[in-house]
Amino acid sequence: MLMGDTKSENYEQLIDELMSTHGQDILQLVYAYVHNETIAEDLTQEIFVKCYKGLPSYRGRSSIKTWLWRIAINHAKDYLKSWYNQNVRITEDAFLNRATLSSSVEQIIVQQDEDASLAAAVMSLPIKYREVIYLAYFEELTMREAAAVLQLNENTIKTRLRKGKLLLKNILEGSEWKND
């Protein structure tokens, strides 16, 4: 077996592990940018292809998760700037409207309604606030980790998070959404 084949097999194994470990998180992150399940799935596949191709150049200056998230964010932003996104519209049902099993149908319906209201409110925020709220609350990253992923100063993350939460509060109070 050639040495190149061994490296290739190692890269394939690493990509498989990354897809298993972070695939759903990347899909949700991308969806937070594009608001479309089908497009988010396609972009997620493209992100892992980019990651596979970029593995030989990965230098370990950040964690592999941070590196992967950076690729995902840049790819999603590139898509948003693309001609296709600017000129073609696709409709779909709400992606984030999935409920887990609960003890009663009523609880499921109430939870779905609250989740949909919260998701819609988060998705209506400008992207610079949406991404920090997503990273902080949905992915539970620390301020330092979010700053590394977004390549921003930690104080900028804190400011955007504070402003994003205020905007979110105003949106939710305006819709009379209550968290009982």
Side-chain angles (χ1 to χ4, degrees):
M1 181 179 291
L2 298 172
M3 186 160 182
D5 291 339
T6 304
K7 276 188 178 181
S8 179
E9 287 175 14
N10 289 341
Y11 290 158
E12 287 175 20
Q13 184 179 2
L14 180 57
I15 287 297
D16 285 344
E17 289 174 22
L18 289 173
M19 288 172 56
S20 296
T21 306
H22 302 293
Q24 187 63 37
D25 294 337
I26 294 296
L27 177 62
Q28 290 173 332
L29 173 68
V30 172
Y31 181 82
Y33 283 89
V34 300
H35 303 237
N36 181 292
E37 182 177 5
T38 304
I39 291 170
E41 289 171 351
D42 290 345
L43 292 176
T44 299
Q45 288 178 351
E46 292 170 12
I47 288 162
F48 281 105
V49 169
K50 270 188 170 182
C51 183
Y52 178 78
K53 289 178 179 178
L55 276 173
S57 65
Y58 173 67
R59 299 288 175 239
R61 289 188 205 119
S62 63
S63 73
I64 194 130
K65 179 181 177 182
T66 299
W67 179 72
L68 178 61
W69 282 65
R70 189 77 241 143
I71 291 171
I73 289 169
N74 287 337
H75 196 68
K77 286 181 177 180
D78 288 347
Y79 170 79
L80 291 174
K81 292 185 243 176
S82 72
W83 177 90
Y84 181 85
N85 180 57
Q86 302 291 326
N87 295 290
V88 178
R89 298 284 174 240
I90 297 174
T91 59
E92 71 171 30
D93 293 331
F95 175 55
L96 296 177
N97 232 2
R98 298 179 179 168
T100 57
L101 293 177
S102 188
S103 60
S104 77
V105 172
E106 183 178 324
Q107 286 177 332
I108 292 171
I109 292 170
V110 169
Q111 187 64 48
Q112 280 181 331
D113 187 48
E114 289 176 355
D115 289 349
S117 296
L118 180 58
V122 171
M123 293 302 171
S124 72
L125 294 173
I127 200 159
K128 68 182 185 178
Y129 303 119
R130 185 182 338 139
E131 64 189 2
V132 294
I133 286 176
Y134 179 84
L135 292 174
Y137 293 103
F138 292 92
E139 292 303 323
E140 299 177 355
L141 296 183
T142 65
M143 294 299 130
R144 176 173 279 131
E145 291 168 333
V149 167
L150 296 173
Q151 295 179 332
L152 294 170
N153 182 294
E154 199 170 331
N155 288 331
T156 303
I157 298 296
K158 290 176 185 177
T159 301
R160 287 184 182 179
L161 187 58
R162 186 172 39 255
K163 175 75 173 174
K165 288 190 319 189
L166 182 61
L167 290 170
L168 194 55
K169 179 181 177 196
N170 291 337
I171 291 168
L172 293 174
E173 286 177 352
S175 69
E176 297 178 20
W177 185 81
K178 301 276 190 260
N179 188 8
D180 295 332

